[in-house]
């Protein structure tokens, strides 16, 4: 008589153990995991909400100077400490992809203005170009308007011209020109842009001179001085946790002594009131690169994260996470750079990515592959 062999019982993982395991899995890998079963889907949702929350991504776009339609994208996920190469359907950009604000990308030709501000730039809005031809404007989304300011071509009559695209009426609106004191520094190369729910703030990077625009009244306010210290020779602005911050280089380009963050508490007066944090000296040294100089910095910020880099030598990007009013600093090696891309244009942005964004991207044939450094 045959003896019935005991059947092996498959061990199942439930509850806290599963949620803890998922907290160590890269976000892009959690998309297929969440489709295994309803229990796993719930565990993934709990894990990213309570165990290991999603953190804003750093996104680096590289674009060939010769072939603008050849664009690649890499993202750094600070939650998992991994770089992801983003493979997306071909995007036929006929002009350079640009960004003058952390979350918005745009392209501009004499006939068309295209812009995207969702986290992964899945949706691009294509409209007629503004009336005034521009080569390097400040472009930012404030409420339901896209503000396009300054950066005009040399043959235009008004270098300070400002136009706004109203996404509700789908039409362009004229606005008061930028203040005369910005006449020789209207391009985004010279101005730093930051926004809140109601206003656009533009800051002259070398002087800290700042003005704000209210799109509803179409009026400019200021000037304000956001040069927090006389030893600051270059500054950029952004927002972190809905607070206005200024990052400044202290010293001079050939001898940067420190990089500091100041917080602005009273946005009506725009005065730097206290130091939020200071970059560790060893990270300042890394940012200097081989040249030993930092003539300028770029900054991208969203949520409670900001990323600072040296545009001249972007091999190292410095990350700062603000928790309970304290700065946690880290150094990220730029995986978007290689021998073939060093001469390409780099556009750095931030993305407050959600699982829904990734699921939509996958459904539209986007692929995400972890990249080794």
């Amino acid at each position: 008589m045959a003896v019935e062999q005991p059947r092996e019982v498959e061990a199942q993982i439930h509850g806290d153990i599963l949620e803890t395991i998922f907290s160590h899995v890269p976000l892009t890998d959690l998309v297929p995991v969440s489709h295994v079963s309803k229990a796993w889907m719930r565990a993934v949702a709990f894990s990213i909400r309570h165990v290991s929350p999603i953190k804003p991504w750093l996104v680096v776009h590289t674009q060939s100077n010769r072939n603008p339609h050849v664009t690649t994208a890499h993202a750094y996920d600070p939650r998992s400490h991994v770089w992801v190469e983003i493979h997306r359907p071909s995007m036929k950009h006929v002009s350079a992809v640009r960004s003058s604000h952390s979350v918005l990308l745009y392209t501009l030709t004499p006939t068309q203005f295209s812009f995207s501000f969702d986290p992964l730039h899945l949706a691009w809005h294509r409209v007629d170009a503004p009336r005034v031809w521009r080569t390097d404007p400040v472009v930012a989304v404030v409420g339901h308007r896209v503000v396009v300011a300054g950066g005009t071509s040399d043959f235009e009559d008004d270098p300070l011209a400002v136009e706004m695209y109203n996404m509700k009426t789908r039409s362009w609106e004229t606005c008061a020109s930028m203040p005369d004191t910005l006449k020789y520094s209207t391009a985004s190369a010279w101005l730093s842009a930051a926004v809140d729910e109601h206003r656009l703030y533009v800051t002259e990077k070398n002087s800290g001179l700042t003005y704000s625009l209210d799109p509803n009244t179409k009026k400019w306010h200021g000037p304000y001085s956001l040069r927090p210290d006389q030893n600051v020779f270059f500054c950029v602005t952004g927002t972190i946790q809905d607070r206005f911050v200024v990052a400044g280089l202290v010293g001079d380009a050939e001898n940067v002594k420190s990089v500091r963050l100041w917080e602005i508490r009273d946005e009506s007066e725009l005065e730097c009131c206290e130091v939020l944090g200071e970059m560790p000296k060893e990270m300042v040294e890394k940012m200097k690169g081989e040249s030993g100089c930092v003539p300028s910095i770029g900054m991208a910020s969203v949520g409670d994260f900001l990323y600072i880099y040296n545009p001249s030598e972007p091999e190292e990007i410095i990350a700062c996470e603000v928790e309970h009013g304290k700065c946690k600093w880290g150094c990220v090696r730029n995986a978007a750079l290689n021998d073939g891309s060093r001469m390409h244009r780099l556009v750095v942005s931030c993305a407050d990515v959600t699982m829904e964004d990734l699921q939509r991207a996958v459904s539209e044939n986007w692929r995400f592959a972890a990249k080794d450094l």
Side-chain angles (χ1 to χ4, degrees), residues 129-318:
R131 300 179 183 89
V132 177
W133 172 235
R134 306 165 190 273
T135 56
D136 187 23
V138 169
V139 181
V141 176
V142 186
H144 62 276
R145 293 182 175 92
V146 182
V147 181
V148 182
T152 62
S153 177
D154 291 338
F155 58 78
E156 292 289 351
D157 293 332
D158 183 7
L160 301 164
V162 179
E163 297 172 80
M164 300 185 297
Y165 181 74
N166 189 319
M167 289 184 281
K168 288 184 176 180
T169 63
R170 299 182 180 181
S171 61
W172 286 98
E173 302 172 353
T174 56
C175 184
S177 295
M178 301 173 79
D180 289 339
T181 48
L182 297 177
K183 184 175 182 179
Y184 299 106
S185 56
T186 65
S188 69
W190 304 104
L191 294 175
S192 180
V195 301
D196 60 20
E197 293 181 355
H198 308 291
R199 293 194 180 193
L200 163 68
Y201 303 88
V202 293
T203 301
E204 201 172 55
K205 295 176 181 178
N206 290 316
S207 68
L209 183 69
T210 300
Y211 291 88
S212 67
L213 171 68
D214 184 338
N216 291 319
T217 63
K218 302 181 180 180
K219 293 182 179 180
W220 289 89
H221 302 269
Y224 312 97
S225 177
L226 289 187
R227 189 176 182 181
D229 187 314
Q230 291 304 308
N231 294 318
V232 172
F233 69 92
F234 190 93
C235 62
V236 290
T237 58
T239 55
I240 191 163
Q241 297 177 340
D242 297 323
R243 293 181 291 179
F244 200 179
V245 295
V246 178
L249 294 174
V250 179
D252 58 64
E254 296 182 353
N255 184 25
V256 174
K257 296 179 179 179
S258 67
V259 180
R260 295 176 187 168
L261 293 176
W262 286 266
E263 180 183 357
I264 297 172
R265 292 195 180 275
D266 187 353
E267 294 184 4
S268 62
E269 297 297 331
L270 289 188
E271 292 183 357
C272 297
C273 61
E274 62 182 58
V275 176
L276 181 62
E278 183 171 355
M279 185 182 296
K281 292 188 180 299
E282 63 271 18
M283 295 183 186
V284 176
E285 292 302 315
K286 282 191 174 184
M287 198 167 60
K288 291 179 180 179
E290 294 181 358
S291 69
C293 299
V294 186
S296 66
I297 53 173
M299 182 171 72
S301 62
V302 70
D304 51 8
F305 263 79
L306 59 84
Y307 298 91
I308 300 174
Y309 60 98
N310 177 357
S312 301
E313 298 192 46
E315 285 80 8
E316 300 287 345
I317 299 176
I318 310 303

Side-chain angles (χ1 to χ4, degrees), residues 88-152:
R88 55 192 173 189
S90 179
M91 303 180 69
K92 299 298 183 181
H93 294 304
V94 296
S95 64
V97 173
R98 298 180 180 273
S99 177
S100 57
H101 182 249
S102 299
V103 297
L104 179 138
L105 298 181
Y106 76 92
T107 66
L108 183 61
T109 70
T111 59
Q112 189 179 75
F113 174 57
S114 302
F115 60 94
S116 175
F117 53 88
D118 64 273
L120 289 177
H121 304 290
L122 293 161
W124 281 81
H125 308 266
R126 294 174 172 83
V127 302
D128 291 338
R131 300 179 183 89
V132 177
W133 172 235
R134 306 165 190 273
T135 56
D136 187 23
V138 169
V139 181
V141 176
V142 186
H144 62 276
R145 293 182 175 92
V146 182
V147 181
V148 182
T152 62

